[in-house]
Amino acid sequence: VSARMRLGTRIVAAQWSGSAWRVEDERGATDEVDILVSGVGQLSNPSIPAIPGQDSFTGSAFHSAMWPADLDLTGQRVAVIGAAATAVQAVPRLAQTAAHVTLLQRTPNDVWPQPDVAYPRWYRPWVRFERPLFQWLGEQFSRALDEGSIAARISRAVTRFHLRRQVKDPVLRAQLTPQYPIGCRRILFSNDFYPALTRANVDLVTDG
């Protein structure tokens, strides 16, 4: 962490003076900065649904955005509500240490393989040339919103191949297969989410 950073600080006000930003934190301390970047994110205030029985539940219960820093789930029975982006990241890690993980899924998501490899030293100077490629790929994701397009068919084929390759059980595979056009929900990227769901200590629940 840089000495120029102050973590755990909530900014409550920011005003432009004409030459600088005057920011104020929740304790009333003020500072002036030349550049202000708002990085609060669109999901910074989590929505916690009312679930019958949650008041009488005696275990730990929290939104993933408020994950306790000292939490140890080793050997615990864990339920994860929701099977989207957060679950794709959390479930594979939880499955490695928890005694059992139950994933409650309302709607399956399209999952692409994640191109997660180490760059060899000789390749590093060439990384900047990847930008046009990724820009082009991003445009293809937009084109895939047209269900009848070639981009949509290719994108769907990639997700189906990835699912078939990693999940051999036809029942589980059917539960993880979206029934809506690709792009209607955020496409996720993971190499270890599907394998985690095939572990003996992980269950997927899809009914109400």
Side-chain angles (χ1 to χ4, degrees):
V1 177
S2 170
R4 298 177 181 269
M5 298 174 65
R6 274 177 281 171
L7 303 179
T9 303
R10 182 170 180 263
I11 300 299
V12 296
Q15 185 173 6
W16 176 248
S17 68
S19 59
W21 284 98
R22 183 177 183 274
V23 295
E24 179 181 349
D25 67 25
E26 60 187 342
R27 293 181 292 272
T30 61
D31 197 358
E32 286 197 352
V33 297
D34 298 320
I35 299 172
L36 177 66
V37 178
S38 177
V40 297
Q42 61 184 8
L43 304 175
S44 57
N45 294 319
S47 175
I48 302 177
I51 300 174
Q54 64 183 11
D55 293 338
S56 60
F57 180 64
T58 58
S60 298
F62 54 89
H63 193 284
S64 58
M66 303 172 178
W67 198 289
D70 58 350
L71 184 68
D72 182 8
L73 295 175
T74 302
Q76 301 293 308
R77 294 172 55 82
V78 180
V80 177
I81 302 175
T86 298
V88 162
Q89 299 173 67
V91 168
R93 305 297 181 270
L94 292 171
Q96 294 174 7
T97 57
H100 192 274
V101 177
T102 300
L103 176 61
L104 308 173
Q105 172 189 277
R106 179 178 60 180
T107 308
N109 295 272
D110 287 299
V111 180
W112 268 47
Q114 183 176 355
D116 190 11
V117 295
Y119 286 120
R121 185 173 298 277
W122 62 265
Y123 185 76
R124 292 173 188 172
W126 298 92
V127 169
R128 65 182 182 276
F129 294 108
E130 287 185 348
R131 184 173 295 277
L133 171 62
F134 282 107
Q135 179 180 356
W136 180 83
L137 285 173
E139 291 174 351
Q140 303 319 303
F141 275 115
S142 298
R143 290 191 175 97
L145 294 175
D146 179 0
E147 189 176 359
S149 67
I150 294 175
R153 292 198 293 270
I154 292 175
S155 187
R156 175 66 77 194
V158 170
T159 62
R160 293 294 188 264
F161 173 76
H162 187 50
L163 178 57
R164 285 197 307 271
R165 185 171 63 88
Q166 293 197 318
V167 180
K168 304 303 182 185
D169 179 0
V171 175
L172 179 59
R173 194 164 61 235
Q175 292 176 312
L176 294 168
T177 301
Q179 300 301 318
Y180 51 82
I182 195 163
C184 286
R185 288 171 62 91
R186 175 179 170 185
I187 296 174
L188 308 176
F189 293 83
S190 177
N191 297 328
D192 53 8
F193 177 61
Y194 286 150
L197 299 182
T198 66
R199 293 174 60 117
N201 67 328
V202 178
D203 284 334
L204 178 67
V205 176
T206 59
D207 58 74

